Amino acid sequence: MNLERLPNEEKLGLCSKYYLGGFAFLPFLWLVNVVWFFQEAFVKPAFTEQLQIKTYVKRSALGLLLWVAILTTWITIFQHFRAEWGEVGDYLSFTIPL
């Protein structure tokens, strides 16, 4: 998608949709939001909607970092303690290792 062709109002609308979509347990949308709109928020010359876009980009980055921290913590705990959890650890596993 080429953001250069969109008017600033549509950029703001698209940015807010991706931000809100991230709350549906889709942190990938926050990553897309940060990557696509970083230049619009922090590099481009000032325009009216830029302040709101900047807010959405910052919040998307914060939400993404929070998700990464939570998932990394869970994966580390699960990998370390799965065998000790016995049957519960096996039920939580997609594939049961031998």
Side-chain angles (χ1 to χ4, degrees), residues 1-14:
M1 173 180 239
N2 188 359
L3 291 176
E4 297 297 324
R5 295 181 183 177
L6 290 177
N8 293 333
E9 297 83 22
E10 287 186 34
K11 290 178 191 176
L12 177 61
L14 187 61

